[in-house]
Amino acid sequence: MQTENDEAQGVEGDVDGAEDVRRMRPLAPGRRIDARVRIPGSKSLTNRALVLAAMAKGRSRLVGALRSDDTVACTQGLRDLGIAVRVESDGEVLVVEGSGGGPTAAEACVDARLSGTTARFLAPYLALGRGRYRLDAAARMRERPMGALWQALRDQGVRIDGGPALPWTVYGAGGLAGGALRIGGDDTTQPASGLLMAGPFARRDLELTVDSRRAALPHVAMTAGLMARFGVACESPGEGRFRVPAGAVYRPGTYEIEPDASAAAYFWALAALSGGRVHTPGIGRSRLQGDAAFLEVLEEMGCRVEAASDGGAVVQGPDGGRLRAVRRDMSAMGDQVLTLGVLGLFADGPCEVHNVSHIRLQESDRVAAAVTELRRLGACCEERPDGFAVWPLSPEAVAPVRVRTYGDHRLAMSFALAGLRRPGVVIADPGCVSKTFPSFFQVLDGAVG
């Protein structure tokens, strides 16, 4: 595999002109991967830990943090708000000097860029300050759902100019009102996480109900688990219900950031596709990260998963990468829908994904994008309102094809895997992986060898 400036002559696709592309090279027939892959820190945990450390009083060290576009956006946002954040060890350690509350700046402009976690975590945080703060983002982030958070903050007594979409001007008044609050969680649960993290600074206990049709709320559970590590108990008295005590205090300290389960899943899938073996140290069946449950999907498709002594997982793919077809509710693992779609190209029957309409509102419309690009690869694929079905790829599908990524990092990473089994695959705009996994292609090169 190599990255090159290439017009991809003779390659089908609807991205025109010269651009940065990645030509994928299929594995040799019968080749089995045997790799130990070090996965970078979790983006979701890094950005949550940054905000919690900012609200703690004193110095916190975040060890194993991810350095990517999204975490840089959150780091810079906190700096703009008066919080000192120092980067050490090539970005894998972040040192945060927390204020014991909200922003210390009286006025600031925060650019969330393309980062949903930055926008949705910092918006409630702005309400804890005492000043005037502008929150804006890149064009695609301006289109993504912010209305539920906008309404929830207004219900909490926060004055906001603008909205529901970004940009906003938020007038901090030292905290939230607290009490009972409802927020929708079908489009995204990030606003709920942002509100819970700001909960200790409410005037009354915050009792948050998240209304959602999803089978689970793993990212909210992740938030509650990390809050507990910082010393604040976020109780869950019932499904979709959470309570944060007013006046609770976040504790500064040194916190280890787990490797990213969402990133690890691409390499677990590599084992599945190749019939090989991949070991990911430090990340396996995580208690905090919902995407670790993708290991269960792989088991259902015929992989063997073992726990490693280092807390990681070892995934052994089935002989020849012959995968069993599955039908799955992926609402709790939305970031792995595209990965499952690609695996479906090499299954023994149709794979079906449902209850994922919320992923239409992410960096791209991931349902429509998946269907379009799976078809471009030569597969039969049916789009549905809340998901899709994909049928196995014919061995005759070998014509050169350029996969569009729509500026979406997860499109690039998941469809790169297809190029390890199907000849002629070119990934357009591979640099978009910098959003969450800048070294993805280098790590993939190392695993493939």
Side-chain angles (χ1 to χ4, degrees):
M1 295 179 294
Q2 59 185 0
T3 299
E4 48 191 305
N5 288 317
D6 191 335
E7 293 188 19
Q9 299 281 341
V11 176
E12 295 179 0
D14 49 359
V15 180
D16 299 321
E19 60 178 335
D20 190 30
V21 299
R22 165 74 59 150
R23 290 187 179 278
M24 307 304 298
R25 293 177 180 167
L27 297 170
R31 166 81 189 285
R32 291 190 178 187
I33 299 296
D34 189 356
R36 183 178 187 272
V37 182
R38 181 176 179 270
I39 302 297
S42 163
K43 180 264 292 187
S44 296
L45 288 173
T46 297
N47 275 3
R48 282 167 171 80
L50 276 166
V51 176
L52 293 173
M55 291 189 284
K57 181 67 173 176
R59 178 174 297 171
S60 292
R61 291 175 57 84
L62 310 181
V63 180
L66 174 67
R67 185 76 170 172
S68 73
D69 290 354
D70 275 14
T71 62
V72 168
C74 191
T75 298
Q76 187 58 50
L78 289 171
R79 287 172 173 160
D80 292 339
L81 293 166
I83 303 299
V85 183
R86 189 170 70 255
V87 179
E88 298 179 352
S89 302
D90 294 326
E92 292 193 3
V93 176
L94 298 175
V95 181
V96 183
E97 303 291 345
S99 68
T104 60
E107 189 166 352
C109 295
V110 174
D111 181 3
R113 307 184 191 182
L114 287 168
S115 174
T117 51
T118 298
R120 294 166 182 143
F121 295 170
L122 290 188
Y125 177 71
L126 299 179
L128 311 185
R130 293 191 178 274
R132 179 176 179 272
Y133 311 107
R134 180 175 171 82
L135 178 62
D136 202 355
R140 176 58 182 169
M141 188 61 224
R142 285 184 172 190
E143 297 172 355
R144 293 174 64 186
M146 291 289 289
L149 181 56
W150 177 79
Q151 187 59 57
L153 288 171
R154 286 161 55 94
D155 291 344
Q156 285 287 296
V158 180
R159 178 187 165 193
I160 303 174
D161 289 347
L166 294 176
W168 299 352
T169 299
V170 180
Y171 296 85
L176 305 175
L181 179 65
R182 303 187 77 92
I183 190 168
D186 284 335
D187 293 339
T188 173
T189 58
Q190 290 173 2
S193 289
L195 290 163
L196 289 175
M197 289 191 287
F201 301 95
R203 291 185 287 278
R204 293 179 291 158
D205 292 356
L206 180 64
E207 299 175 356
L208 183 67
T209 299
V210 183
D211 295 320
S212 178
R213 296 188 300 271
R214 299 196 205 181
L217 300 172
H219 285 88
V220 183
M222 174 197 294
T223 302
L226 198 58
M227 289 170 64
R229 292 187 181 185
F230 275 82
V232 172
C234 176
E235 302 173 0
S236 183
E239 185 175 351
R241 295 168 55 206
F242 302 89
R243 178 181 173 275
V244 181
V249 177
Y250 288 120
R251 183 175 59 236
T254 298
Y255 297 95
E256 297 278 345
I257 304 296
E258 277 186 349
D260 195 307
S262 301
Y266 301 116
F267 294 90
W268 299 334
L270 171 62
L273 284 174
S274 69
R277 177 182 179 275
V278 172
H279 172 203
T280 53
I283 182 62
R285 299 185 192 273
S286 168
R287 291 175 294 172
L288 283 177
Q289 299 183 67
D291 275 9
F294 195 64
L295 289 168
E296 298 171 11
V297 179
L298 294 176
E299 286 177 318
E300 189 177 345
M301 299 187 83
C303 296
R304 186 172 71 249
V305 179
E306 298 177 352
S309 60
D310 56 20
V314 178
V315 178
Q316 174 67 58
D319 287 344
R322 292 185 289 273
L323 301 169
R324 292 196 293 264
V326 295
R327 183 178 186 274
R328 294 286 303 207
D329 178 340
M330 292 290 286
S331 60
M333 291 179 281
D335 283 346
Q336 297 312 315
V337 168
L338 300 172
T339 315
L340 180 54
V342 167
L343 292 178
L345 295 171
F346 310 104
D348 61 4
C351 286
E352 299 181 47
V353 174
H354 61 97
N355 201 17
V356 294
S357 59
H358 62 285
I359 72 170
R360 291 184 179 274
L361 301 169
Q362 295 181 312
E363 284 83 347
S364 66
D365 178 340
R366 286 180 177 165
V367 172
V371 170
T372 298
E373 300 311 313
L374 290 168
R375 287 173 176 166
R376 199 188 304 282
L377 290 172
C380 177
C381 197
E382 178 183 293
E383 182 173 353
R384 298 168 181 174
D386 72 335
F388 58 85
V390 57
W391 279 259
L393 194 63
S394 167
E396 298 176 0
V398 296
V401 60
R402 181 192 303 174
V403 173
R404 286 192 66 187
T405 53
Y406 310 87
D408 190 332
H409 55 132
R410 302 222 177 271
L411 259 295
M413 291 186 280
S414 58
F415 277 82
L417 298 175
L420 300 178
R421 285 280 295 266
R422 184 205 186 278
V425 174
V426 170
I427 304 297
D429 186 23
C432 66
V433 300
S434 64
K435 188 174 194 295
T436 55
F437 196 167
S439 61
F440 170 77
F441 284 103
Q442 289 81 7
V443 175
L444 184 60
D445 283 347
V448 171

